Amino acid sequence: MRFTCLASGSEGNCILIESMQNNKTERLLIDCGINLVNLEKRLAERSVTLKQIDGVVITHEHGDHCKGVVSVVKKIEIPVFMTYGTFLASSSFKRDLKPSFFSPHKKFNFLGFEIEPFPVPHDARETIAIIIKVGDCCLGVLTDTGMVTKHTLNVLKKVGALVIEFNYDENLLNQSKYPEALKKRISSNYGHLSNTSAFNLIRALESEYQKVIVAAHLSTNNNSESIVNSLLEKLSHESRVNTFIAGQSSGTPWIHVN
Ligand SMILES: [Zn+2]
Ligand SMILES: [Zn+2]
């Protein structure tokens, strides 16, 4: 299995996962928070066409995770998976989509992908984080969560690669010109993960499987790549993981999960 972030941040999030089994390549998108033009461009940069996408899983109804999904599905008629709560939260979904629903507590299979959603605290109707398994390869995607629950910690112990939100630096958020209410929302238990929370979560995993960390969903105003980089350097010194930062429009290169 390999994956690449096509976009990451408050302007849009989208991850492409590719599995190669029995001489067959299958492709799944996690979230589609960029428009069709951008999606096709970023796929082309990675030698993939829109028609080669087999399905898309939506984590929650915030625009930065789903604003492109209706136009994609209208163009190529692929299955869309989401929780029923996410579906109910969007008038556009109710008007334009016929999704397949999944429980946030139950694994399901789609083609060669085993998809394990789990609920996370965030200010949307029924937000999930997700683990994708192909054979023995296991990728976790945890963006948009206000806090790390015991359950999150437990389920992520088995992943070999983890895309995890490093949303904000506490000092930069405190000093920012954002209104107090917005600062509170971001840093609340239903908001986003700070750099420190993400760093502590990765350390707490103490996982023998963990080989790749991708820092994702960095805030443009309340974070900086150099701060995140210094944390990632510490992690790679301690446990020899490969680390990446996913850029808003540059995303990441292809990353293999073993
Ligand atoms: Zn988001
Ligand atoms: Zn969100």
Side-chain angles (χ1 to χ4, degrees):
M1 169 168 51
R2 62 176 189 164
F3 71 97
T4 168
C5 295
L6 303 177
S8 186
S10 54
E11 305 278 295
N13 296 275
C14 188
I15 297 173
L16 169 64
I17 305 170
E18 209 174 73
S19 84
M20 277 156 275
Q21 281 184 316
N22 309 321
N23 292 327
K24 224 176 135 199
T25 304
E26 295 166 339
R27 297 178 183 86
L28 180 68
L29 291 182
I30 304 295
D31 286 332
C32 189
I34 49 177
N35 67 30
L36 194 56
V37 175
N38 272 331
L39 177 61
E40 288 195 285
K41 180 171 163 272
R42 290 173 201 184
L43 288 172
E45 287 164 1
R46 291 153 175 89
S47 307
V48 177
T49 64
L50 190 65
K51 283 194 171 148
Q52 290 176 312
I53 305 296
D54 296 299
V56 50
V57 180
I58 298 295
T59 59
H60 64 297
E61 70 274 18
H62 288 162
D64 58 322
H65 295 261
C66 67
K67 61 176 176 271
V69 70
V70 169
S71 49
V72 168
V73 169
K74 278 190 175 164
K75 194 155 179 194
I76 54 171
E77 294 184 18
I78 52 170
V80 186
F81 301 90
M82 62 179 68
T83 62
Y84 191 57
T86 296
F87 176 71
L88 290 182
S90 160
S91 49
S92 147
F93 291 168
K94 286 188 272 189
R95 192 179 56 235
D96 300 315
L97 291 180
K98 287 197 171 58
S100 299
F101 299 119
F102 58 80
S103 157
H105 305 281
K106 251 194 198 157
K107 287 179 194 170
F108 63 100
N109 292 294
F110 172 62
L111 305 175
F113 300 99
E114 183 189 286
I115 299 167
E116 181 182 350
F118 57 96
V120 286
H122 186 55
D123 53 0
R125 188 77 74 93
E126 197 172 24
T127 312
I128 55 127
I130 201 158
I131 291 171
I132 306 286
K133 218 171 154 196
V134 175
D136 291 333
C137 306
C138 202
L139 165 70
V141 177
L142 176 71
T143 60
D144 298 61
T145 183
M147 61 182 282
V148 177
T149 64
K150 263 191 187 164
H151 184 63
T152 297
L153 201 58
N154 276 336
V155 292
L156 289 180
K157 281 193 193 293
K158 62 185 172 222
V159 304
L162 177 62
V163 177
I164 177 170
E165 170 172 59
F166 276 69
N167 191 280
Y168 64 93
D169 170 81
E170 285 94 339
N171 291 330
L172 290 179
L173 180 64
N174 276 336
Q175 292 157 13
S176 82
K177 291 189 180 124
Y178 279 17
E180 281 310 309
L182 182 55
K183 290 184 189 179
K184 273 199 179 134
R185 186 183 86 72
I186 293 170
S187 59
S188 79
N189 286 346
Y190 289 87
H192 291 274
L193 274 194
S194 69
N195 293 343
T196 313
S197 307
F199 179 78
N200 290 340
L201 163 63
I202 296 162
R203 268 190 163 168
L205 286 175
E206 287 183 339
S207 162
E208 56 190 294
Y209 306 111
Q210 196 177 285
K211 294 189 187 88
V212 172
I213 297 289
V214 177
H217 215 311
L218 272 67
S219 162
T220 323
N221 298 317
N222 305 313
N223 213 346
S224 86
E225 289 205 4
S226 64
I227 296 175
V228 174
N229 242 329
S230 62
L231 294 171
L232 293 179
E233 271 171 23
K234 268 192 205 169
L235 290 169
S236 54
H237 277 304
E238 283 171 12
S239 56
R240 293 196 185 169
V241 284
N242 279 326
T243 61
F244 300 82
I245 293 181
Q248 178 61 75
S249 54
S250 54
T252 65
W254 282 107
I255 299 168
H256 285 267
V257 188
N258 299 315

